[in-house]
Amino acid sequence: MASYVEQLMLKREDAVMKAAVSFVYADYNAGSPLDRNVFHLDECSYFESLEFHRRKSNFLLGRLSAKQAASVLLSEPDLRNVSVKAGVFGQPVLRVTGVPSYQVSITHCDSIGAAVVFPEVHPMGIDIERIDPKRNKTIESQLTTGEKERISAARGVEEYSVLLTVFWTVKEALSKILRTGFTTSLHVLEMNETLFVNEYFRSTFSHFPQYAAQSYRLGDYICTIAAPRRTEWSMNTSQLYYNFNSVFHPICLQVETFTEDIF
């Protein structure tokens, strides 16, 4: 297993707040139980009720990354005191013993899980996806005319696939903030601008001008975090990349159908 956790300084005109982002790589072995030094008994019981390997793997990745981010941000050493429940729409709801007013967004792809824990007053959303030209047609079908015109300037198959994955992760990260998931039309989540600045892509939205997103290329993956537009923050991608270099550049990956996180 590999992991990386970093606190993020959320700088606004009138305040500075803290969030934390966590990445976990774990190759779940079928039949393995959860570590009861990390997971609460209720979490272990729910995990055992899951029938399919993929659902168990996603549960492990999402919860473990959320626990690690919350542990660092909120100084809670006992991960059993950090749990993630499901809300009425299936969205993750963070519960930390004795600590109110923080929430979480989680994502997973292949054997990578990621989470961002943030103050409840400052909504954020995260998504990670693998860059895969085989998924281009699926993503294209969800773009607006304006988005297709902007992305048509891409040079070469690789750059085009990268930009398509950026567009998808940006929309999914925003949908988690709105707590709609992809149950709403992706056209409602239209992006009106995407620029490459300071080694990441920064995107804004046509219908939600109060938000912006920052997308990072991590080898074969794109990770996007969406947040209020007037917040400034940065992530130490160099250290993350160093810790996860072999994970972000996998030698071989099994072919998977294109799926998205619900939240």
Side-chain angles (χ1 to χ4, degrees):
M1 190 183 87
S3 64
Y4 176 82
V5 185
E6 179 183 350
Q7 287 200 39
L8 305 177
M9 303 301 294
L10 309 174
K11 301 176 183 178
R12 295 182 59 81
E13 292 180 357
D14 57 349
V16 177
M17 292 170 275
K18 291 183 180 180
V21 63
S22 171
F23 292 81
V24 170
Y25 171 81
D27 191 6
Y28 170 68
N29 294 319
S32 299
L34 293 181
D35 185 346
R36 299 206 171 192
N37 292 318
V38 174
F39 293 89
H40 189 275
L41 288 176
D42 290 346
E43 293 174 313
C44 294
S45 296
Y46 177 76
F47 178 81
E48 292 302 324
S49 74
L50 299 175
E51 295 184 23
F52 300 106
H53 176 274
R54 183 178 178 84
R55 291 196 66 189
K56 286 191 170 185
S57 177
N58 289 345
F59 179 90
L60 173 66
L61 292 169
R63 266 51 179 185
L64 192 54
S65 55
K67 284 172 177 283
Q68 292 195 357
S71 175
V72 169
L73 180 63
L74 305 176
S75 301
E76 174 50 75
D78 190 343
L79 297 184
R80 290 172 297 183
N81 291 333
V82 180
S83 63
V84 179
K85 308 293 185 180
V88 295
F89 295 116
Q91 79 274 19
V93 179
L94 183 68
R95 292 289 181 264
V96 183
T97 303
V99 181
S101 303
Y102 282 85
Q103 284 307 325
V104 64
S105 178
I106 60 178
T107 184
H108 32 68
C109 180
D110 299 326
S111 295
I112 302 172
V116 59
V117 173
F118 50 89
E120 201 165 46
V121 297
H122 187 279
M124 302 177 77
I126 189 170
D127 188 56
I128 187 168
E129 297 288 348
R130 177 161 43 94
I131 302 163
D132 185 353
K134 297 184 182 68
R135 299 172 173 173
N136 286 0
K137 293 295 183 182
T138 301
I139 301 176
E140 286 172 354
S141 68
Q142 301 300 323
L143 300 183
T144 65
T145 300
E147 288 171 333
K148 290 178 180 177
E149 290 175 354
R150 289 194 295 277
I151 206 170
S152 65
R155 294 167 295 196
V157 174
E158 181 180 0
E159 182 175 308
Y160 185 68
S161 297
V162 167
L163 288 175
L164 279 175
T165 310
V166 167
F167 277 41
W168 182 273
T169 59
V170 166
K171 291 187 176 189
E172 185 153 0
L174 177 62
S175 77
K176 293 176 181 180
I177 290 180
L178 302 176
R179 298 190 174 182
T180 62
F182 276 179
T183 60
T184 188
S185 167
L186 297 194
H187 291 197
V188 175
L189 308 175
E190 182 184 52
M191 300 148 60
N192 68 356
E193 185 177 61
T194 298
L195 300 174
F196 188 74
V197 293
N198 299 325
E199 300 185 347
Y200 62 82
F201 297 91
R202 180 172 173 84
S203 303
T204 52
F205 302 93
S206 299
H207 306 296
F208 297 93
Q210 68 270 46
Y211 291 108
Q214 294 180 191
S215 304
Y216 303 89
R217 180 169 185 181
L218 304 169
D220 291 344
Y221 296 85
I222 296 292
C223 180
T224 291
I225 298 178
R229 183 173 58 85
R230 293 185 179 179
T231 300
E232 295 181 1
W233 54 274
S234 62
M235 187 167 66
N236 186 357
T237 52
S238 296
Q239 187 61 49
L240 168 62
Y241 205 91
Y242 178 81
N243 288 14
F244 275 69
N245 185 58
S246 61
V247 178
F248 291 147
H249 292 277
I251 297 174
C252 179
L253 284 170
Q254 64 183 23
V255 176
E256 298 180 354
T257 57
F258 186 68
T259 59
E260 74 276 355
D261 299 320
I262 297 176
F263 282 96

